[in-house]
Amino acid sequence: MSTRHMRLTGHSRVFTLTEEAHADLLDYLTDARTALAIEPDADETLRDLEASLGDQLAPLYREPTDVVDAAQMTAILDHSGAVVADLLEKKVAAPPQGPFWARIVEGKYLGGVCLGIAARGGFNAAWVRGIAGAVVFLIAGILAPLAEGIPMLLFLAATVIGYLLLLLLLPSVASATEYQRVSGRPRDGND
């Protein structure tokens, strides 16, 4: 019987596996790495997974000559479960979070704030943009004749600062479709 030796994260012991058990373990870890590729903490999760597998393998080594065969490895891997299935289950099981304030990147004119307001309220984005522009010009026009334009300049400065704050504070979402999916809000087609 041909064997392979392998170390797993978090264990000083070298595990002795049959060729088939070794291949099964490598396939499992490769599939896990592929499934976790888009996760920000993939490396940490893989280290934890290796440590867990090592914890399950350790009791099988009562004697220094013990070897883990394919049947034992299959039982351990089945007990650990498929990483892909766990990730999909987490993503599918996560309930929509409901409407929230955000900026929408796709289709933005400046920063996507008006698109985000339109998506949250279920409004037409052109209407939100038009109303926002009209309000700014209306208030600036009213304030312009007062006190030699200083109130108007203060208003415009406050408007710019307010918009910049919204750009910094609101999370960005890639598109209106993505916003609808994440928020659980049905798309009404008016965007």
Side-chain angles (χ1 to χ4, degrees):
M1 158 175 52
S2 178
T3 60
R4 300 289 303 260
H5 301 287
M6 187 171 192
R7 283 190 191 271
L8 293 172
T9 302
H11 293 273
S12 59
R13 122 174 284 134
V14 176
F15 297 101
T16 306
L17 313 166
T18 64
E19 286 283 340
E20 190 177 343
H22 183 261
D24 289 345
L25 180 56
L26 286 180
D27 288 344
Y28 180 84
L29 291 173
T30 301
D31 290 346
R33 181 168 296 283
T34 301
L36 293 168
I38 60 171
E39 296 295 319
D41 54 353
D43 290 335
E44 182 180 343
T45 303
L46 284 168
R47 285 191 297 271
D48 292 346
L49 181 61
E50 275 192 36
S52 172
L53 291 170
D55 291 345
Q56 294 177 60
L57 283 169
L60 300 176
Y61 288 91
R62 291 182 196 90
E63 300 292 324
T65 57
D66 286 341
V67 176
V68 174
D69 63 19
Q72 292 170 312
M73 183 57 69
T74 300
I76 289 171
L77 297 178
D78 287 346
H79 180 264
S80 295
V83 174
V84 174
D86 291 346
L87 285 174
L88 289 175
E89 186 176 296
K90 272 198 274 185
K91 290 187 189 233
V92 170
Q97 65 182 42
F100 58 98
W101 295 105
R103 297 182 300 113
I104 296 181
V105 176
E106 184 181 286
K108 68 181 182 178
Y109 282 2
L110 290 176
V113 174
C114 288
L115 278 173
I117 292 169
R120 183 170 193 309
F123 308 123
N124 185 310
W127 281 98
V128 174
R129 288 177 177 139
I131 291 170
V135 167
V136 168
F137 283 115
L138 179 67
I139 293 175
I142 292 171
L143 293 176
L146 303 175
E148 300 175 10
I150 292 175
M152 181 187 70
L153 291 176
L154 292 175
F155 168 73
L156 291 176
T159 302
V160 169
I161 291 170
Y163 193 83
L164 290 175
L165 282 173
L166 289 174
L167 286 177
L168 292 173
L169 297 176
L170 293 179
S172 66
V173 177
S175 67
T177 304
E178 178 69 12
Y179 178 86
Q180 305 304 331
R181 185 188 67 76
V182 173
S183 69
R185 186 177 202 104
R187 190 166 171 89
D188 59 6
N190 291 333
D191 297 342

